[in-house]
Amino acid sequence: MTANPALPAAVSPTSTDGATLHRPVIDWFDAHARDLPWRRPEAGAWGVMVSEFMLQQTPVSRVLPVYEQWLARWPRPADLAAEPPGEAVRAWGRLGYPRRALRLHGAAAAIRERHGGDVPTDHAQLLALPGVGEYTAAAVASFAYGQRHAVLDTNVRRVFARAIAGTQYPPNATTAAERKLARTLLPDDEHTAARWAAATMELGALVCTARTPACVRCPIVAHCAWQGAGAPEHEGPPRRGQTYAGTDRQVRGKLLAVLREAITPVAQASLDQVWDEPVQRARALDGLVADGLVEPLAGGYYRLPLT
DNA sequence: GATCCGTGGCG
DNA sequence: TCGCCAAGGAT
């Protein structure tokens, strides 16, 4: 990694190092961490994994009720794997991105087949599961099994961007420099590293928030490069806004909402009512079928997938 | 690396 | 009101 002339003092050894931050951040976490169900010991690795799938791009408040119902119905991976994938899609409700439900079902099946029904402890084996990427593999290994991994989600990236790099926001896509920084800042001790991972995420979620950070409540504000620089506004191109109205995603959502509520197969004519434009409507439905979220039947009927 | 993939709350 | 944002992953 080459020195960035735009960030002189921010990354210099005179500002701070990881060890300086560990204690105040972890102490703050011990005092202020939310009591979330997937953080309780009884959640187990499966509970942690379910929560991580649901929390991908979805706020905690909306995940909570679905998570409780999900774990009550499918307390082990094999319980979910025994059901049709469409049941996972139905139980997913309105969490959004329903392909996650399909992947979670697929992960449960893989856990049953390849790991004897137990969520694997090995990072590489976690990463090989459907729907498990770099972040989720590290999160499950760290939160469920107490291992030492750099857990780099949007919260942690924002905390590091401000505290270390001195910028308001991290880059749009995760960079090699960010990964290296996260590894450098990771405490040596395994248990402490796992606490650090959870603590930095929580700090980003509760204090170092995207819109209006509560710096007066920040345990490391005295070490924060961004605050030290006067909290400069983000420069450069705007961070990609995601339009939704009128997109295929909206149409897919409307189609799938009908199918989730239906116990019996749904006729084409019923699906046609959710969107006027026929070309886009057909494209959206084809996409759902291609993704395995919808199963086409003879005679123009559709349902959530049984296989 | 850019794009696609849902949904809803909030300032 | 409406753009922004929320514990990403797959292609």
Side-chain angles (χ1 to χ4, degrees):
Chain A
M1 183 174 83
T2 59
N4 185 343
L7 311 169
V11 294
S12 75
T14 59
S15 60
T16 185
D17 61 9
T20 306
L21 305 176
H22 296 161
R23 176 74 68 86
V25 171
I26 291 175
D27 284 352
W28 171 88
F29 182 65
D30 289 338
H32 299 287
R34 292 168 290 180
D35 177 28
L36 299 170
W38 44 86
R39 285 180 178 161
R40 297 200 271 265
E42 60 267 31
W46 173 238
V48 171
M49 173 169 280
V50 169
S51 77
E52 291 303 335
F53 270 76
M54 292 183 173
L55 289 164
Q56 290 169 4
Q57 303 285 281
T58 303
V60 167
S61 60
R62 287 172 46 208
V63 164
L64 283 170
V66 182
Y67 171 87
E68 299 287 6
Q69 291 191 5
W70 193 283
L71 266 294
R73 181 173 177 182
W74 299 307
R76 298 164 303 181
D79 300 319
L80 175 59
E83 297 245 18
E87 282 307 296
V89 174
R90 195 188 308 279
W92 197 254
R94 305 188 67 81
L95 285 182
Y97 293 142
R99 291 191 293 193
R100 291 181 294 163
L102 225 45
R103 293 174 184 147
L104 181 52
H105 182 274
I111 289 168
R112 183 183 60 181
E113 302 308 314
R114 305 204 288 257
H115 305 292
D118 296 320
V119 176
T121 62
D122 182 69
H123 183 278
Q125 292 182 328
L126 287 165
L127 196 57
L129 299 172
V132 177
E134 182 181 346
Y135 161 76
T136 302
V140 172
S142 180
F143 303 154
Y145 296 122
Q147 295 174 20
R148 184 178 181 275
H149 294 282
V151 179
L152 205 52
D153 80 321
T154 187
N155 290 305
V156 177
R157 295 183 61 221
R158 188 173 54 248
V159 169
F160 290 172
R162 289 175 181 165
I164 309 298
T167 61
Q168 188 178 20
Y169 296 116
N172 276 330
T174 305
T175 64
E178 286 182 275
R179 293 188 181 90
K180 179 178 176 61
L181 174 63
R183 278 185 271 112
T184 301
L185 292 175
L186 205 56
D188 294 328
D189 172 66
E190 185 177 46
H191 175 71
T192 308
R195 297 292 292 170
W196 166 256
T200 48
M201 280 184 64
E202 191 78 337
L203 185 62
L206 297 183
V207 173
C208 194
T209 55
R211 229 168 297 188
T212 41
C215 300
V216 294
R217 293 193 282 111
C218 181
I220 55 172
V221 64
H223 307 287
C224 180
W226 183 58
Q227 276 298 305
E233 292 291 316
H234 173 74
E235 305 175 17
R239 307 151 74 217
R240 316 192 41 74
Q242 42 187 12
T243 55
Y244 181 64
T247 61
D248 285 6
R249 288 153 80 173
Q250 184 181 21
V251 185
R252 287 166 58 108
K254 287 178 174 295
L255 291 169
L256 205 57
V258 172
L259 291 161
R260 273 199 311 265
E261 298 306 314
I263 303 302
T264 59
V266 173
Q268 176 81 56
S270 298
L271 295 177
D272 287 348
Q273 294 176 13
V274 308
W275 197 257
D276 285 335
E277 209 291 297
V279 174
Q280 187 180 28
R281 191 178 64 218
R283 185 174 64 234
L285 183 55
D286 286 348
L288 289 170
V289 172
D291 288 347
L293 284 163
V294 172
E295 183 176 338
L297 304 173
Y301 280 82
Y302 298 88
R303 68 181 174 199
L304 298 182
L306 289 184
T307 57

